[in-house]
Amino acid sequence: MSQPIFPNIDPPLTRDGSVNEIIASIAAEELSLSHILNAEGEKLQFVLGTLPGLSGGADIEDVLDVNKSVQRTLDEITRQQLLLGTKLNAALGAPVFTGPTGATGPTGPTGPATGAAGPTGATGPEGIAGAVGVTGLDGATGPTGPTGADGLPGVVGATGATGAAGVTGATGATGVTGATGVIGPTGATGATGPTGATGATGATGVTGATGVIGPTGATGATGATGATGPNGPNPTATAGFAANTAGTSLSIALGGTPIPLPSAQVLSADITPNAGNTVFTVANAGRYRISYHVNTTAALLMGSRLVINGVNNTASTVAPVLSVSNYENEIEIDLAANSTISLQLYPILLAGVAVLISGGAGASLMIIRLS
């Protein structure tokens, strides 16, 4: 197998020159990435119709397709950025080699056994330390591409009017219970005759044929109906409502942030909030209907969800692909006794700040036990 052949480099590269060449190549790659980021920003401006000199825009499907393409490109650029950072750290941390140690001087002669000790030979000169390599300059940071404009939120349809409830008909009167018939008297039992002497045990006879099954006796009279027990718990008595009307500003963390609901609370005795009004505990097990609304002052690329017993509930999750300012959902779920419920906002891509609208339902939560 042939061996690789490297060309002669004239003049030969020094350590400092090699490090500077590596840092220069990293800076060139960073500049290329900045151009790519700028191109992705212009791509978003083009489909949204905000690029200077162009008019018109794209439909929602094109916007979503371009958004996915830009997201994939940003993921690849992020990975490339991590590689460039690793390469730059390796270049800046390249080892510096120390020069060779100088030769040790000769040992002086030993004096006679009885005479004075001879002088100690001089120590040889210390070798010259190698020069410390020059630290390369940090590469220039590429320009940040322009941020694409947020898409306009869709119009929320008006809520239809609730129809009037029909009148409940009057309950019919309960019929009179018929009288129980008289039980006939039991006949007197005859006197038992005296027991005769026990005779000798005879031989076991042949087993006779099975006799005919006698007729079924008459059914006894039905006993009187017992008293009616106390009424069980009424499921509809378990219900709760809580809201936030104060225009609260929330810092939305990557793992999600619970929304406090201290306003307009109407809670049955078996639904209790925690001290921060972010977690509501239902004492009784059963099937529940849970609904929520969240309204922010600005459109955000964030999602909403219910957290049941510390676990994110998928069926209640609203995860938009474009920025919105209104979130709402409703679920039915079977809950064990002492289950916990909280309403949460979470970021789709990056953490940020959400401001709930004030003077109205910035956020609300409704809990109703069905059975």
Side-chain angles (χ1 to χ4, degrees):
M1 180 182 294
S2 61
Q3 298 297 323
I5 299 175
F6 297 95
N8 293 326
I9 300 175
D10 188 20
L13 287 176
T14 63
R15 175 192 177 279
D16 295 344
S18 299
V19 171
N20 287 338
E21 290 291 338
I22 293 172
I23 293 174
S25 69
I26 294 172
E29 288 187 67
E30 292 283 3
L31 181 60
S32 299
L33 292 179
S34 69
H35 286 300
I36 294 174
L37 288 173
N38 185 64
E40 291 302 303
E42 291 181 347
K43 185 193 296 182
L44 287 175
Q45 287 182 295
F46 174 79
V47 298
L48 294 175
T50 60
L51 192 65
L54 294 178
S55 61
D59 58 23
I60 187 63
E61 293 183 18
D62 292 336
V63 172
L64 294 177
D65 289 340
V66 172
N67 183 63
K68 291 179 181 178
S69 172
V70 172
Q71 187 172 0
R72 286 194 299 269
T73 303
L74 292 178
D75 289 342
E76 293 297 329
I77 290 176
T78 301
R79 284 192 283 271
Q80 182 66 20
Q81 190 65 37
L82 293 174
L83 292 175
L84 291 178
T86 302
K87 185 190 294 185
L88 181 60
N89 290 336
L92 295 179
V96 178
F97 298 101
T98 305
T101 303
T104 303
T107 303
T110 303
T114 57
T120 303
T123 303
E126 184 176 349
I128 300 172
V132 179
V134 177
T135 302
L137 299 175
D138 292 339
T141 301
T144 302
T147 302
D150 291 337
L152 297 176
V155 178
V156 179
T159 303
T162 303
V167 178
T168 303
T171 303
T174 303
V176 179
T177 303
T180 302
V182 179
I183 300 173
T186 303
T189 303
T192 303
T195 303
T198 303
T201 304
T204 303
V206 179
T207 302
T210 303
V212 179
I213 298 174
T216 303
T219 302
T222 303
T225 303
T228 303
N231 293 329
N234 181 5
T236 59
T238 298
F241 176 82
N244 187 317
T245 61
T248 303
S249 177
L250 301 171
S251 295
I252 309 304
L254 292 178
T257 297
I259 301 175
L261 302 166
S263 313
Q265 289 186 354
V266 180
L267 305 172
S268 58
D270 51 358
I271 299 180
T272 55
N274 66 349
N277 293 295
T278 57
V279 179
F280 296 81
T281 302
V282 293
N284 296 320
R287 177 161 295 179
Y288 285 79
R289 175 177 293 168
I290 307 173
S291 61
Y292 70 83
H293 294 76
V294 179
N295 301 299
T296 59
T297 58
L300 305 169
L301 189 55
M302 294 186 179
S304 63
R305 61 195 174 198
L306 294 173
V307 180
I308 310 294
N309 293 322
V311 179
N312 299 332
N313 182 269
T314 303
S316 69
T317 300
V318 176
V321 296
L322 295 175
S323 300
V324 297
S325 60
N326 305 102
Y327 308 81
E328 58 181 298
N329 206 344
E330 181 178 70
I331 64 171
E332 285 190 15
I333 187 172
D334 293 325
L335 297 179
N338 297 317
S339 291
T340 59
I341 305 166
S342 62
L343 175 59
Q344 186 183 92
L345 281 178
Y346 69 94
I348 300 296
L349 292 176
L350 300 173
V353 175
V355 181
L356 304 179
I357 64 172
S358 62
S364 64
L365 177 67
M366 177 77 78
I367 304 169
I368 299 175
R369 183 182 176 206
L370 303 178
S371 62

